[in-house]
């Protein structure tokens, strides 16, 4: 092969082993939605650069609406025009989506382009058409199902990810040809592993990941580096120390990958295996942050960190019958008080088999039956173990029966009332009106005693700076111009609302009630801006709130993108129309009631206003 041909082949091989840029966007977008990255201009610029390079007009529009960014109309039009030209060329060469593997159709090009520009609706439609047509071969249908998984992963839709995995497995079971397709089965391991991570099945995930690492080819889904990192995270929590030695330390390919791709994860692995507990706690704190910023793992980071702490404590205590609290504090690099308080909590929950002797300042390890370690078990110990196991199984059965019977469990709530709030504001298509002004002000009061509606405040507002609504605003919100023409301006309505709060004693005492919003925009952005426009002080009651999305994520272990996503996840029907303020609040109330009924959710403050925006 000559030099030019060799270079071309190497370039093709390099491109094949690269993850498409657009598949990196979900993590970046998720980070930008978190308060820790709200001011990260470097991340935002990198995010937008990928959008610009790939002419992702549909995705850009969706992002601007989601984050309330001002849309660059010229940029959008330029990207949109490029999309139109590309689609015309692709559609000109496509006549039928019923395509066998050996047919030279361009549905793959159309699907690839739809994914590239972030047009997930169109991509989903094409892939679904291919998959659902049973006239297509199993290989073609599997290819479409893999794409449906990537679309679901791109949108952080765990339910659709699971559905795609099931569809591929079903295809393999019914088709002999697919059953012998090693490449397809090998690819499925990486896809299924991601789904297992999303649903907290770490044991299954690490088994799949370890199998696919030596022959990894799913670069279209995620980089190999991410696979290695996920393998360490899943293995650390689900494998015993001996299994870690056998499947990790003696795995040459994994060790080489760790050294090359992610040495920090190797340090995390070795710190626990080599019993360097102080280093392990430091690495675990870093791992916690990494998981918090990953849309796939964020719902599980608290569980993961807790279980890893228990694992570290158990590993140390296995070697001792008694150990001083001071020694444990030194080993883990923390204070005695911290060790004592945390271990006491784990002991009370039955997660650590030991007891704390406060007089001598030691930890005494005990067996599951309650006998001291080191003593030979006698008949009473055996009977005690049988008794405890029987009680434990009985408790598990009772818990299941309670769930099946939807038995109520008393949950103590900090707040007596939840004030569910959702503003609607002036807007324009493909651009941001400056300044935006509130045009609908709904609030529904929900009692945490019985989770029934107790009061409603609802007013329309006539904007002062831009008194005429745009056609897009009317279409989006359903608010007609005549609806607001005779309504008062914001200062009057806001004064009425504050009086309404005071008359009903909703903040007397201050922690009697809390506002609930769907996202942070209403009280973090819109209300402070509106008060600034009208030179009004912002009362302290509005300085903190409950973000329903974050509470939903904690309860359901799934981070929702929007209101419809939450309703769909809970299998609730939507009331009224989307972006009608009062209808949105009514739907939020339904979600809150469902979270209380199904998950016994604890509603607590999730966000506070920056101090520089606060008023007294």
């Amino acid at each position: 092969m000559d030099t030019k041909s060799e270079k071309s082949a190497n370039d093709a091989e390099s491109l094949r082993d690269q993850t498409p840029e657009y598949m990196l966007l979900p993590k970046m977008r998720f980070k930008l939605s978190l308060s820790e990255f709200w001011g990260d201009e470097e991340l935002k610029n990198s995010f937008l650069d990928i959008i610009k390079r790939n002419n992702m007009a549909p995705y850009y529009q969706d992002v601007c609406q989601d984050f309330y960014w001002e849309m660059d109309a010229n940029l959008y039009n330029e990207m949109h025009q490029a999309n139109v030209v590309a689609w015309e060329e692709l559609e000109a060469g496509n006549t039928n989506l019923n395509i066998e593997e050996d047919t030279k159709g361009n549905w793959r090009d159309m699907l690839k382009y739809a994914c590239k520009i972030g047009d997930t609706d169109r991509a989903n439609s094409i892939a679904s058409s291919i998959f659902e047509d049973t006239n297509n071969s199993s290989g073609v249908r599997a290819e479409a199902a893999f794409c449906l998984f990537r679309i679901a992963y791109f949108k952080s839709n765990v339910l659709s990810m699971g559905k795609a995995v099931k569809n591929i497995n079903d295809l393999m079971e019914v088709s002999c040809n697919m059953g012998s397709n090693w490449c397809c089965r090998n690819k499925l391991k990486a896809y299924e592993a991601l789904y297992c991570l999303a649903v907290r099945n770490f044991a299954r995930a690490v088994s799949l990941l370890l199998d696919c690492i030596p022959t990894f080819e799913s670069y279209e889904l995620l980089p190999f580096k991410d696979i290695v990192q996920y393998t360490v995270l899943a293995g650390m929590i689900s494998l015993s120390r001996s299994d870690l030695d056998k499947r990790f330390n003696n795995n040459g390919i994994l060790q080489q990958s760790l050294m090359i791709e992610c040495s920090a994860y190797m340090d995390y692995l070795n710190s626990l295996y080599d019993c360097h507990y102080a280093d392990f706690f430091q690495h675990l704190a870093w791992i916690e942050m990494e998981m918090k910023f990953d849309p796939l793992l964020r719902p599980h980071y608290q569980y993961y960190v807790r279980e890893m702490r228990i694992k570290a404590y158990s590993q140390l205590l296995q070697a001792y019958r008694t150990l001083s609290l001071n020694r444990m504090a030194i080993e883990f690099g923390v204070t005695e008080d911290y060790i004592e308080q945390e271990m006491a909590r784990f002991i009370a929950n039955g997660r650590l088999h030991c007891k704390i002797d406060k007089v001598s300042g030691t930890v005494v390890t005990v067996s599951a039956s309650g006998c001291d370690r080191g003593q030979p078990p006698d008949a009473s110990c055996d009977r005690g173990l049988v008794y405890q196991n029987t009680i434990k199984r009985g408790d598990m059965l009772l818990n299941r029966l309670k769930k099946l019977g939807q038995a109520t469990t008393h949950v103590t709530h900090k707040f007596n009332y939840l004030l569910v709030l959702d503003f609607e504001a002036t807007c324009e298509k493909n651009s941001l009106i400056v300044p935006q002004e509130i045009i609908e002000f709904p609030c529904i009061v929900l009692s945490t005693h019985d989770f029934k509606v107790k009061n409603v405040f609802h007013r329309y507002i006539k904007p002062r700076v831009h008194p005429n609504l745009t056609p897009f605003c009317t279409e989006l919100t359903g608010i007609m111009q005549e609806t607001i023409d005779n309504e008062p301006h914001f200062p009057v309505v806001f004064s009425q609302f504050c009086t309404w709060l005071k008359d009903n004693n909703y903040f007397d005492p201050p922690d009697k009630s809390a506002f609930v919003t769907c996202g942070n925009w209403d009280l973090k952005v819109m209300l402070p801006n509106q008060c600034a426009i009208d030179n009004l002080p912002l009362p302290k009651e509005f300085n903190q709130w409950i973000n329903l999305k974050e509470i939903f994520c904690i309860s359901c272990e799934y981070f929702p993108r929007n209101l419809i996503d939450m309703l769909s996840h809970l299998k609730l029907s939507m009331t009224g129309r989307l972006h009608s303020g009062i209808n949105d609040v009514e739907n939020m109330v339904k979600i809150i009631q469902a979270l209380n009924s199904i998950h016994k959710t604890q509603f607590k403050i999730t966000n506070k206003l920056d101090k520089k925006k606060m008023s007294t």
Side-chain angles (χ1 to χ4, degrees):
M1 182 183 293
D2 57 32
T3 305
K4 185 175 181 180
S5 300
E6 186 176 350
K7 183 178 183 299
S8 177
N10 290 337
D11 290 344
E13 183 72 16
S14 176
L15 288 173
R16 185 180 68 83
D17 292 348
Q18 287 183 1
T19 301
E21 275 192 320
Y22 64 83
M23 290 303 293
L24 307 178
L25 292 177
K27 283 189 177 181
M28 299 174 73
R29 180 172 181 169
F30 182 72
K31 281 186 176 181
L32 288 168
S33 71
L34 303 176
S35 58
E36 294 91 336
F37 294 91
W38 281 344
D40 194 332
E41 291 298 322
E42 183 179 354
L43 177 62
K44 180 179 178 181
N45 291 334
S46 299
F47 180 71
L48 291 175
D49 285 343
I50 295 177
I51 292 176
K52 294 173 186 176
R53 281 197 297 271
N54 293 278
N55 290 323
M56 302 179 71
Y59 190 70
Y60 178 61
Q61 185 177 27
D62 180 55
V63 166
C64 289
Q65 291 176 353
D66 191 23
F67 290 151
Y68 299 97
W69 289 349
E70 183 176 358
M71 182 182 289
D72 186 334
N74 292 331
L75 173 62
Y76 174 80
N77 292 333
E78 180 182 340
M79 294 191 297
H80 178 68
Q81 186 58 37
N83 294 163
V84 171
V85 173
W87 278 121
E88 288 176 351
E89 294 176 356
L90 288 168
E91 290 173 349
N94 188 67
T95 57
N96 187 14
L97 289 181
N98 180 12
I99 301 164
E100 291 296 329
E101 288 181 281
D102 56 353
T103 303
K104 294 182 179 179
N106 70 338
W107 67 269
R108 291 182 179 86
D109 294 334
M110 295 176 66
L111 188 54
K112 182 178 179 180
Y113 187 72
C115 292
K116 179 182 177 182
I117 64 174
D119 193 346
T120 53
D121 291 338
R122 195 164 190 170
N124 193 78
S125 176
I126 296 172
S128 296
S129 299
I130 298 296
F131 173 76
E132 292 169 3
D133 192 340
T134 55
N135 292 323
N136 290 326
S137 67
S138 298
V140 168
R141 295 181 66 202
E143 190 177 345
F146 278 120
C147 188
L148 287 171
F149 182 97
R150 293 196 297 274
I151 295 169
Y153 174 70
F154 187 81
K155 298 169 66 176
S156 299
N157 190 330
V158 178
L159 294 177
S160 296
M161 288 166 62
K163 182 179 178 181
V165 168
K166 181 181 182 300
N167 288 336
I168 298 169
N169 275 314
D170 290 345
L171 278 174
M172 290 184 174
E173 289 178 4
V174 300
S175 171
C176 295
N177 291 332
M178 282 294 296
S180 60
N181 190 334
W182 178 87
C183 290
C184 188
R185 287 185 175 277
N186 185 58
K187 178 183 288 190
L188 178 60
K189 291 175 183 177
Y191 283 70
E192 186 177 350
L194 280 195
Y195 172 69
C196 289
L197 288 172
V199 296
R200 201 185 285 178
N201 188 350
F202 294 116
R204 173 66 175 164
V206 72
S207 177
L208 292 166
L209 290 167
L210 286 169
D211 284 347
C212 78
I213 279 180
T215 53
F216 178 74
E217 293 181 343
S218 303
Y219 293 97
E220 75 284 352
L221 177 62
L222 76 172
F224 180 66
K225 179 180 179 180
D226 289 0
I227 287 289
V228 176
Q229 293 174 355
Y230 287 150
T231 304
V232 173
L233 291 176
M236 288 282 282
I237 193 172
S238 60
L239 297 179
S240 65
R241 192 165 183 267
S242 59
D243 285 336
L244 281 175
D245 184 43
K246 184 189 305 180
R247 305 186 69 180
F248 275 46
N249 293 343
N250 294 330
N251 188 327
I253 296 176
L254 177 61
Q255 289 294 314
Q256 183 180 10
S257 302
L258 282 170
M259 286 189 289
I260 296 173
E261 298 284 349
C262 35
S263 59
Y265 281 80
M266 189 174 189
D267 294 338
Y268 169 58
L269 168 64
N270 292 335
S271 63
L272 181 63
Y273 183 81
D274 295 335
C275 305
H276 298 153
Y277 298 111
D279 293 339
F280 170 73
F281 262 30
Q282 292 180 6
H283 291 307
L284 185 61
W286 175 76
I287 289 292
E288 180 179 2
M289 298 304 295
E290 290 289 296
M291 293 182 69
K292 284 178 69 175
F293 302 149
D294 188 315
L296 207 64
L297 300 177
R298 182 179 176 88
H300 315 302
Y301 80 90
Q302 291 177 321
Y303 166 84
Y304 185 92
V305 171
R306 181 179 68 249
E307 293 301 311
M308 290 307 301
R309 287 180 179 275
I310 293 172
K311 191 169 188 176
Y313 291 141
S314 299
Q315 180 173 295
L316 175 62
L317 292 172
Q318 280 179 354
Y320 300 92
R321 182 179 176 185
T322 61
L323 189 64
S324 69
L325 286 170
N326 179 57
R327 183 61 190 172
M328 285 197 70
I330 294 173
E331 285 285 345
F332 286 96
V334 295
T335 64
E336 284 189 44
D337 288 341
Y338 178 88
I339 283 286
E340 182 181 346
Q341 291 175 11
E342 183 161 73
M343 290 192 65
R345 186 171 71 252
F346 292 146
I347 292 169
N349 292 330
R351 302 305 310 280
L352 286 177
H353 299 301
C354 60
K355 55 188 178 182
I356 298 175
D357 187 339
K358 283 286 291 181
V359 177
S360 61
T362 59
V363 178
V364 181
T365 58
V366 296
S367 69
S369 63
C371 301
D372 290 350
R373 282 172 56 93
Q375 293 181 352
D378 56 21
S380 63
C381 285
D382 291 339
R383 286 196 300 271
L385 182 58
V386 171
Y387 174 77
Q388 286 192 10
N389 288 336
T390 302
I391 293 298
K392 185 176 181 180
R393 286 195 294 268
D395 288 342
M396 292 172 62
L397 179 60
L398 285 174
N399 288 334
R400 290 174 182 172
L401 289 173
K402 286 179 180 179
K403 287 184 178 180
L404 289 173
Q406 295 184 342
T408 58
T409 302
H410 179 69
V411 178
T412 302
H413 294 281
K414 178 180 179 180
F415 304 103
N416 294 341
Y417 299 101
L418 300 178
L419 309 183
V420 189
L421 187 73
D422 187 82
F423 298 135
E424 296 302 327
T426 52
C427 54
E428 177 60 287
K429 189 174 184 179
N430 299 335
S431 64
L432 183 66
I433 290 181
V434 180
Q436 275 191 293
E437 298 172 87
I438 297 174
I439 56 175
E440 186 178 4
F441 198 131
C443 180
I444 292 181
V445 179
L446 204 61
S447 169
T448 57
H449 175 69
D450 55 9
F451 281 85
K452 292 183 178 180
V453 175
K454 301 300 180 182
N455 208 342
V456 178
F457 179 93
H458 184 213
R459 299 287 189 278
Y460 289 103
I461 300 171
K462 183 176 182 179
R464 183 168 54 83
V465 181
H466 301 288
N468 296 321
L469 301 182
T470 64
F472 174 76
C473 185
T474 297
E475 180 184 354
L476 181 70
T477 65
I479 301 174
M480 308 294 289
Q481 183 66 43
E482 51 267 29
T483 304
I484 64 167
D485 277 341
N486 296 321
E487 296 297 327
H489 293 306
F490 177 79
V492 175
V493 174
F494 191 55
S495 175
Q496 292 173 352
F497 182 68
C498 292
T499 301
W500 179 74
L501 294 176
K502 185 177 180 180
D503 290 345
N504 289 282
N505 297 317
Y506 287 133
F507 288 96
D508 185 16
D511 60 352
K512 187 176 181 180
S513 305
F515 289 108
V516 182
T517 61
C518 185
N520 296 316
W521 174 81
D522 299 87
L523 295 183
K524 181 179 185 294
V525 177
M526 193 61 243
L527 185 60
N529 289 350
Q530 183 70 64
C531 288
I533 293 170
D534 292 306
N535 295 318
L536 297 175
L538 183 64
K540 61 183 179 181
E541 290 82 5
F542 298 89
N543 289 341
Q544 60 181 18
W545 61 91
I546 298 171
N547 183 345
L548 186 56
K549 289 183 179 180
E550 294 188 26
I551 295 297
F552 184 95
C553 178
I554 294 171
S555 299
C556 301
E557 298 179 353
Y558 168 72
F559 193 86
R561 294 190 61 192
N562 48 41
L563 191 63
I564 293 179
D565 203 8
M566 288 188 279
L567 290 169
S568 175
H569 194 87
L570 294 171
K571 296 181 173 57
L572 299 173
S573 60
M574 185 172 71
T575 298
R577 59 175 292 160
L578 190 63
H579 295 303
S580 162
I582 189 64
N583 289 156
D584 285 350
V585 169
E586 289 170 345
N587 286 312
M588 289 167 64
V589 167
K590 291 169 66 174
I591 292 168
I592 292 170
Q593 290 170 335
L595 290 177
N596 172 68
S597 173
I598 300 171
H599 299 283
K600 308 304 176 190
T601 298
Q602 184 81 40
F603 293 91
K604 56 186 179 180
I605 296 297
T606 60
N607 299 87
K608 295 185 179 182
L609 201 61
D610 296 339
K611 290 184 178 180
K612 61 183 180 181
K613 292 185 179 181
M614 292 183 181
S615 301
T616 56

